[in-house]
Every structure is written in structure tokens, then in C-alpha cells.
């Protein structure tokens, strides 16, 4: 029995030794500690400049300041705290936001000046300002391409411009009523068809500083269009700034002449930029697109098409109408131009016809006593006056072999009427001698830089005749 009693005494002594240092630092009291707040528990609104806290027992000021917190939207508010005697005064740094909901919370153990510790708790939730001053959006409607917003209080113009948003963005014009109770928002350009725009209004304040506590959103849209655009026609066009001539019903294949434009007709008003990027030629043709009206576009080439060459015209389904709707399918149009190559139909040397062949051939010719050679070169089409000087420059007659043979000089050139052929005369040829024949080359330049007619048709390639002067 004595052993048990001794064991209990030792245990109590040990517990006293453990608890004593803690109790020596602070005294836990069961005496009531009351906090009196200027915001009553049932108050929904509060409008004084500060919140005043009074205490039944004077707390340690630092300890109380640490436990008292002010929240707005569940976020801590930077708070100014100062003591007036035994009263603690609180308010936001800066100013209160009218219409905003605040929470005052004191929770936890608070130390007193005499070292005692009290568990304390206080909770207040209130809207700052006077009752009946709620700032709300009462009505909104979309009419005649403009949005009208009606409010319960006059708006702050600067706050409205800052807090109102429209996505996707549209540049808008704002008109305010005289009493600032309504705002008209009108896009400066029409809303894009088939596009919905979301407007949003949040955290705005009224002209007297009251916060709009809830967020408002809505949708506006332009016209709704479901008609898929169609490519109706691709045809040759004689372009003119004064008025173009469209050859409807004619395909490009076999009907498109050199330098002639190609026209594209659609069933609806189209987006010009998408038409520009959605049309391409293979092989590439340099040119530019002209918008005649919303449905008609003209491609004007910067250079001539190549005769008898097949082109592929690609019309992409990425082309869209003004509502943003794309063509249903890609289109591919194969065509050759109506132009043909210019041909040489005959060459006469001193009234004797020389066969025109693809391969270079040697033609033996007897030089006349005058030492001159005349040539008449006939073409498949007329060579207009504007092209005749350039054509003459593409024809030459020069010594070919041997090196010491003299170069002849052109002494006359004239065109027939109508100008299908050119008459040329050269003199100064070297005569052939026994064992040494003299050769001359009559050359006619072809290709795009060679002889061409009014339609831009040209010889497909260079042509020439080697003339061997007979002994």
C-alpha cells in the first residue's frame, strides 16, 4: 500500500514540474472576455468611416491587431488599425468601396496586458453603404445593330469604358443618356455574319461610387446565313476600267487569248481577300485581282500566256463569302489559250522557195552576178506596223564558214500589203572558189523575245537556213 501511494506522489510531482514552466509564461483564465463591435450582428449595412471595437478586458494591443482581420471577396483587405484609449478603430487603407460586402473576423487566443490568455471570436458580414443603393443592370436589349444597357443608378463613364468588354473585339461608339441611367453601345462596323459576340460587365461603379456586385453577360450577333456560296462561272473577260466585257458561256479552254483577263462569278457577295489567295495557276502566272463588285472578280495577267501550253487553274474551297461560309469543294480547270504559235509559211531566196524544216539544212544557192541575195519571208499572220521594226531586228544574215568570209550588208527591207511577208536584200557576199565553198547563215529569232504578231503570238523556236554559195 505504501509502495502504491509513493508511486502516485512521484507521478503528481512529475506532472507539476512539467506544467509549471508553461503556466509561469501565461495564465489561462476562465473569466469572460467580451468584444463590443460598432457593427451589430444583425446589421446588413454599415456606413461609418471606421469599425470600432471595445473590450471588457484590455487586450495586448499587438496580439489583438494580429487576430482582427477584414476581408472582401474572401481576400484580406489591407487595413489601417489605430487605438483610441481602450478602443481599436479599423478601416481599409485608402477608402471603403460602397456596395462591397466585407467580413470582419476575430478568431483565436488573445493575450491580455496582464499575461492572461482568452479564446475569443467575433464575426460580422455587412455591405458598406446605405440601404437601397444597390447598383444593378436592370435591362439590356439588342436593336438596330446597337446594344442598350439600362441601370438602377447613374453610371460612371470612365468605369463603364474600363469594365465593359466585347469579345471578339469590335470598335464601338458609346452614347450616354442625359441622366446616365442608360448607355447605347454601337459597333462602328457591322457584326460579322454567323459570329456571336459576348459582352461582359463586372466590377463597375456608379457615378456616386457604388459597386456593381454581380457580373452581367450577354450575346449579340450579326445576321445568320447558311447558304453555301457557289462558283457560277469562269470565263474570258475583256477588262476595262470603264466597264469590262464578260464572255459568259465560254470556257477558258481554247477561248482565252494572250493578255486576256479571266473572270470569276459567284452566287453571293464574297470576301475579296480570300478570293485573292484562293486562286492560283500552274504553271504560275503573274498578275493581280480586280474586284468589279461583291460577286465578280477579274484576274489580269502581267505577262502573256504561252501558246499551246496546258494550264491548271485551282479555285480553293478556302474562298469564303462575306458571311464566312466557304465554297463546298475545290475546283480545278484545265485550259489552253486560244493562241497558236506564229509560223513561217515560206522562205524565198531570189524567187526560189526554200523548204522550212525543223532541222537545220544546207541549201545550195547560186549567187547572182550582182552579188546580192534577196529573201522573202512569209508568216502565218500579219505583222502589224508597231511590231515590224522589232521583227526586222530578229532577222540576220551572216558569214558562217570560213572565218575569212565577208559579212553581207542589208541594203533594203520592206513589208507587203497586207504585211504577211518581209522582203530583204543583202550584198557583199564572198564568192565560193574552187575547193573553198562559202557558207552563210540566214537566222530568224523565235521565242518570246523574237518576232511576234499583234496577239503576242511568236515563233516557237529559232529557225535558220545555211546557204552554200555554189561555185
Amino acid at each position: 500500500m505504501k509502495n502504491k501511494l509513493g508511486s502516485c506522489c512521484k507521478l503528481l510531482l512529475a506532472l507539476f514540474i512539467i506544467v509549471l514552466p508553461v503556466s509561469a509564461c501565461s495564465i489561462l483564465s476562465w473569466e469572460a472576455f467580451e468584444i463590443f463591435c460598432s457593427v451589430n450582428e444583425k446589421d446588413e449595412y454599415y456606413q461609418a468611416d471606421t469599425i470600432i471595437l471595445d473590450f471588457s478586458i484590455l487586450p495586448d494591443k499587438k496580439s489583438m491587431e494580429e487576430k482582427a482581420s477584414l476581408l472582401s471577396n474572401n481576400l484580406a483587405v489591407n487595413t489601417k488599425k489605430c487605438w483610441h484609449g481602450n478602443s481599436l478603430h479599423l478601416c481599409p487603407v485608402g477608402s471603403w468601396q460602397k456596395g462591397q460586402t466585407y467580413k470582419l473576423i476575430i478568431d483565436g487566443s488573445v493575450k491580455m496586458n496582464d499575461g492572461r490568455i482568452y479564446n475569443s471570436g467575433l464575426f460580422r458580414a455587412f455591405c458598406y453603404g446605405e440601404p437601397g443603393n444597390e447598383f444593378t443592370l436592370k435591362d439590356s436589349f439588342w436593336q438596330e445593330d446597337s446594344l442598350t444597357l439600362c441601370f438602377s443608378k447613374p453610371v460612371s463613364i470612365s468605369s463603364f469604358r474600363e469594365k465593359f468588354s466585347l469579345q471578339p473585339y469590335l470598335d464601338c461608339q458609346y452614347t450616354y443618356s442625359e441622366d446616365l441611367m442608360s448607355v447605347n453601345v454601337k459597333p462602328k462596323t457591322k457584326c460579322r455574319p454567323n459570329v456571336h459576340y459576348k459582352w461582359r460587365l463586372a466590377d463597375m461603379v456608379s457615378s456616386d461610387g457604388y459597386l456593381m456586385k454581380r457580373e452581367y453577360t450577354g450575346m449579340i450577333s450579326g445576321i445568320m446565313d447558311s447558304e453555301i456560296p457557289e462558283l457560277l462561272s469562269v470565263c474570258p473577260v475583256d477588262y476595262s476600267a470603264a466597264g469590262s466585257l464578260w464572255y459568259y458561256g465560254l470556257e477558258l479552254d481554247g477561248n482565252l487569248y494572250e493578255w486576256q483577263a479571266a473572270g470569276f462569278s459567284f452566287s453571293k457577295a464574297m470576301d475579296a481577300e480570300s478570293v485573292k489567295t484562293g486562286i492560283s495557276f500552274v504553271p504560275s502566272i503573274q498578275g493581280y485581282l480586280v474586284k468589279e463588285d461583291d460577286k465578280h472578280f477579274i484576274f489580269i495577267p502581267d505577262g502573256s500566256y504561252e501558246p499551246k501550253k496546258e494550264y491548271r487553274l485551282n479555285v480553293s474551297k478556302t474562298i469564303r463569302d462575306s458571311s464566312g461560309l466557304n465554297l463546298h469543294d475545290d475546283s480545278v480547270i484545265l485550259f489552253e489559250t486560244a493562241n497558236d504559235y506564229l509560223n513561217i509559211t515560206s522562205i524565198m531566196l531570189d524567187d526560189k522557195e526554200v523548204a522550212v524544216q525543223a532541222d537545220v539544212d544546207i541549201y545550195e544557192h547560186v549567187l547572182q552576178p550582182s552579188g546580192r541575195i534577196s529573201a522573202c519571208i512569209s508568216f502565218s499572220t500579219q505583222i502589224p506596223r508597231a511590231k515590224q521594226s522589232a521583227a526586222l531586228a530578229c532577222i540576220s544574215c551572216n558569214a558562217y564558214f570560213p572565218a575569212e568570209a565577208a559579212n553581207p550588208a542589208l541594203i533594203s527591207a520592206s513589208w507587203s500589203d497586207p504585211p504577211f511577208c518581209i522582203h530583204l536584200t543583202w550584198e557583199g557576199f564572198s564568192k565560193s572558189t574552187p575547193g573553198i565553198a562559202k557558207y552563210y547563215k540566214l537566222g530568224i529569232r523565235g521565242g518570246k523575245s523574237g518576232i511576234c504578231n499583234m496577239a503576242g503570238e511568236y515563233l516557237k523556236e529559232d529557225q535558220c537556213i545555211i546557204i552554200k554559195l555554189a561555185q
Side-chain angles (χ1 to χ4, degrees):
M1 186 68 177
K2 289 182 178 180
N3 290 338
K4 290 183 178 180
L5 183 60
S7 298
C8 289
C9 291
K10 290 179 181 179
L11 179 59
L12 289 172
L13 179 62
L15 289 173
F16 177 75
I17 293 172
I18 293 171
V19 173
L20 182 60
V22 178
S23 299
C25 295
S26 59
I27 300 172
L28 184 62
S29 175
W30 297 104
E31 183 182 354
F33 172 63
E34 296 183 83
I35 303 174
F36 304 96
C37 181
S38 59
V39 182
N40 294 323
E41 190 173 358
K42 295 183 179 180
D43 287 347
E44 295 181 6
Y45 292 87
Y46 187 76
Q47 55 182 318
D49 292 338
T50 61
I51 296 175
I52 302 172
L53 298 174
D54 291 313
F55 311 97
S56 61
I57 303 173
L58 184 63
D60 177 77
K61 293 182 179 180
K62 183 177 181 182
S63 176
M64 177 53 67
E65 289 178 13
E66 290 175 351
K67 296 300 179 182
S69 58
L70 190 64
L71 285 76
S72 173
N73 291 330
N74 293 321
L75 298 175
V77 177
N78 190 11
T79 308
K80 179 181 177 182
K81 300 172 183 177
C82 58
W83 292 85
H84 295 273
N86 294 339
S87 299
L88 176 60
H89 291 229
L90 301 90
C91 64
V93 174
S95 62
W96 294 94
Q97 174 61 68
K98 294 180 180 179
Q100 180 65 279
T101 298
Y102 291 90
K103 294 178 182 178
L104 175 64
I105 299 175
I106 300 174
D107 186 28
S109 299
V110 179
K111 185 179 179 181
M112 302 294 109
N113 276 341
D114 58 9
R116 289 178 294 172
I117 295 176
Y118 285 88
N119 289 320
S120 61
L122 182 138
F123 176 83
R124 297 287 188 272
F126 59 90
C127 177
Y128 189 82
E130 298 179 1
N133 280 277
E134 291 82 2
F135 182 38
T136 60
L137 178 68
K138 296 178 66 178
D139 196 8
S140 65
F141 52 90
W142 173 254
Q143 187 176 9
E144 296 181 356
D145 296 328
S146 66
L147 173 67
T148 300
L149 303 169
C150 302
F151 299 91
S152 61
K153 294 170 66 69
V155 302
S156 163
I157 293 176
S158 59
S159 180
F160 181 85
R161 292 295 299 270
E162 179 185 356
K163 300 301 183 180
F164 177 81
S165 64
L166 195 60
Q167 293 294 332
Y169 174 78
L170 281 176
D171 190 17
C172 296
Q173 176 182 334
Y174 303 92
T175 304
Y176 302 87
S177 63
E178 289 187 9
D179 58 3
L180 297 179
M181 296 286 283
S182 66
V183 183
N184 181 266
V185 181
K186 186 176 182 64
K188 292 182 180 179
T189 58
K190 284 190 175 182
C191 296
R192 289 170 49 194
N194 295 339
V195 175
H196 296 286
Y197 297 83
K198 179 180 180 181
W199 61 264
R200 178 178 180 270
L201 198 56
D203 300 324
M204 191 178 80
V205 297
S206 64
S207 60
D208 58 355
Y210 275 83
L211 178 71
M212 179 180 284
K213 291 193 291 185
R214 60 162 289 190
E215 174 183 307
Y216 296 92
T217 61
M219 302 294 294
I220 62 175
S221 61
I223 62 171
M224 304 307 293
D225 184 4
S226 60
E227 181 186 350
I228 302 298
E230 296 180 42
L231 177 63
L232 299 179
S233 175
V234 181
C235 65
V237 174
D238 290 338
Y239 173 72
S240 170
S244 301
L245 176 61
W246 289 64
Y247 295 96
Y248 292 109
L250 284 183
E251 298 179 349
L252 295 185
D253 189 35
N255 295 302
L256 190 66
Y257 287 88
E258 290 288 335
W259 299 90
Q260 194 174 26
F264 300 82
S265 174
F266 297 92
S267 61
K268 298 177 62 183
M270 305 300 290
D271 175 76
E273 189 61 29
S274 71
V275 176
K276 179 180 178 180
T277 57
I279 292 174
S280 62
F281 293 86
V282 180
S284 178
I285 300 173
Q286 297 299 316
Y288 57 97
L289 196 75
V290 172
K291 176 183 174 181
E292 188 170 71
D293 58 39
D294 289 340
K295 297 181 181 180
H296 296 85
F297 299 83
I298 302 173
F299 177 81
I300 303 171
D302 280 334
S304 60
Y305 310 106
E306 293 187 37
K308 296 303 178 182
K309 186 178 187 67
E310 185 176 73
Y311 288 91
R312 185 176 70 200
L313 169 60
N314 298 313
V315 182
S316 173
K317 64 181 178 182
T318 59
I319 293 176
R320 59 183 179 273
D321 63 17
S322 57
S323 299
L325 300 175
N326 295 87
L327 295 175
H328 190 271
D329 292 305
D330 295 327
S331 297
V332 176
I333 299 171
L334 301 176
F335 69 94
E336 289 184 0
T337 63
N339 297 81
D340 201 348
Y341 287 107
L342 179 67
N343 292 309
I344 296 175
T345 57
S346 69
I347 298 177
M348 305 287 290
L349 292 181
D350 293 337
D351 298 327
K352 294 182 180 179
E353 186 171 355
V354 177
V356 181
Q357 300 177 7
D359 298 328
V360 176
D361 199 5
I362 297 176
Y363 174 73
E364 189 168 350
H365 183 70
V366 176
L367 188 63
Q368 298 298 319
S370 63
R372 298 177 178 179
I373 294 179
S374 294
C376 179
I377 304 172
S378 299
F379 299 96
S380 55
T381 66
Q382 298 182 41
I383 307 300
R385 183 179 295 275
K387 304 281 187 178
Q388 290 174 4
S389 294
L392 178 60
C394 294
I395 302 172
S396 62
C397 187
N398 298 302
Y400 187 68
F401 181 84
E404 60 270 18
N407 274 318
L410 180 67
I411 60 173
S412 68
S414 62
W415 289 87
S416 64
D417 186 19
F420 281 97
C421 60
I422 183 170
H423 300 274
L424 305 160
T425 300
W426 292 272
E427 68 176 7
F429 294 90
S430 295
K431 296 181 180 179
S432 295
T433 58
I436 302 176
K438 302 298 190 298
Y439 294 85
Y440 287 86
K441 178 181 178 181
L442 174 60
I444 305 169
R445 189 165 75 240
K448 290 185 177 181
S449 62
I451 299 173
C452 64
N453 59 18
M454 183 60 77
E457 296 171 331
Y458 51 84
L459 296 174
K460 185 176 183 180
E461 55 191 1
D462 294 347
Q463 296 192 27
C464 69
I465 295 174
I466 302 301
I467 303 172
K468 177 183 177 182
L469 299 182
Q471 297 180 6

